[in-house]
Amino acid sequence: MEEETVSTKELEGRVALVTGASRGIGRAVAQRLARMGATVLVNYNGSLDRAMEVVQEIQEAGGRGEAICCDVSDYGACGRMAEEIIKKYAHVDILVNNAGVTRDNLILRMSEEEYDKVLDTNLKGAFNTIRHLSRYFLKQRGGNIINISSVSGVTGNAGQANYSASKAGLIGLTKSVARELAGKGVRVNAVAPGFIETEMTQALPEKAREAAVASIPAGRMGTVEDVARLVAFLAGKGADYITGQVICVDGGMTCA
Ligand code: NAD
């Protein structure tokens, strides 16, 4: 983890749910929001051990956090997670929809299962959490939703029809819910990372990684901190008048 001082505790008293936070971008986001003072609920679906590592890192840095298990693609489970959070904390302020999967394949080879798995997790997962938490945001007259999309959802990407569709869908979801809830004090934005160094991208063949890096004007892959800094900004006061936006953090990949 890159050690960086966060000078303000502007999220003190806030409760943040970060989905898929036991590794990668979600982990960096969880740690950064905790350093800003938020109590962070580290959602995981697979490994409790890894989620607990993140919680421990948060606590060792003087922050507050807790692991919370839920498969975001399960509508009912997301409802139960929302109730559990409200029962314990009475409010929830920030939702970062970060959980995501890939099942890359060319369209002629892509199975129905590969398509459904990606859409169910990346797009329906975000619908599920937003659907269940929004009623609390409305009651509180405040909330902040940040959806982790992707440049693949902005430009499309060969071999990723399912993933790109899910990430483009997230952009539509972001803009629509932003319009619905802006008058009620709820902001909704999307962050579209480019090519970021995580376990997700480590799984790519070396040739594909080299080609991807060659397409980045900045000449390097992004780090999880590059993304976490933007999410933290959107979660904070400085972004009070920003809603319905899609912000790329991609080293210039999507420059027109
Ligand atoms: P990652 O694979 O390291 O992390 C994804 C996390 O989501 C994992 O912890 C995983 O367990 C969790 N997850 C998967 N399915 C889940 C489910 N059903 N319920 C709860 N959690 C679930 O990937 P990452 O690179 O850190 O990506 C994080 C997000 O950023 C994803 O949405 C990804 O699509 C997006 N993104 C990543 C990149 C990149 O280059 N790494 C680029 C653009 C967008």
Side-chain angles (χ1 to χ4, degrees), residues 222-241:
T223 66
V224 291
E225 287 301 330
D226 287 326
V227 182
R229 273 192 293 270
L230 174 57
V231 173
F233 169 71
L234 289 170
K237 269 250 151 271
D240 250 4
Y241 198 52

Side-chain angles (χ1 to χ4, degrees), residues 93-161:
D93 309 285
I94 299 161
L95 165 64
V96 182
N97 280 309
N98 166 80
V101 292
T102 51
R103 293 291 184 276
D104 296 354
N105 222 334
L106 295 170
I107 191 68
L108 285 181
R109 293 194 192 137
M110 188 173 287
S111 67
E112 186 183 2
E113 288 72 26
E114 286 169 335
Y115 186 83
D116 287 346
K117 175 73 183 171
V118 171
L119 270 289
D120 283 352
T121 307
N122 301 6
L123 182 55
K124 178 134 184 285
F127 164 76
N128 289 342
T129 55
I130 292 172
R131 174 68 179 78
H132 288 296
L133 290 186
S134 286
R135 51 187 280 237
Y136 302 109
F137 292 152
L138 289 182
K139 264 194 210 158
Q140 297 162 192
R141 292 199 70 80
N144 194 335
I145 303 170
I146 298 155
N147 295 319
I148 308 297
S149 177
S150 167
V151 293
S152 298
V154 177
T155 63
N157 196 20
Q160 287 198 311

Side-chain angles (χ1 to χ4, degrees), residues 34-112:
R35 292 209 294 280
M36 292 166 76
T39 296
V40 179
L41 304 171
V42 175
N43 162 255
Y44 70 99
N45 184 33
S47 161
L48 170 63
D49 288 353
R50 291 196 68 170
M52 286 310 294
E53 265 175 42
V54 180
V55 171
Q56 203 178 329
E57 284 159 1
I58 286 173
Q59 290 170 348
E60 280 168 6
R64 283 176 298 271
E66 157 176 15
I68 189 162
C69 184
C70 175
D71 173 355
V72 297
S73 67
D74 181 334
Y75 182 79
C78 286
R80 290 190 291 279
M81 173 168 65
E83 281 170 19
E84 196 183 323
I85 294 169
I86 294 301
K87 206 168 157 196
K88 181 150 186 194
Y89 295 97
H91 62 106
V92 58
D93 309 285
I94 299 161
L95 165 64
V96 182
N97 280 309
N98 166 80
V101 292
T102 51
R103 293 291 184 276
D104 296 354
N105 222 334
L106 295 170
I107 191 68
L108 285 181
R109 293 194 192 137
M110 188 173 287
S111 67
E112 186 183 2

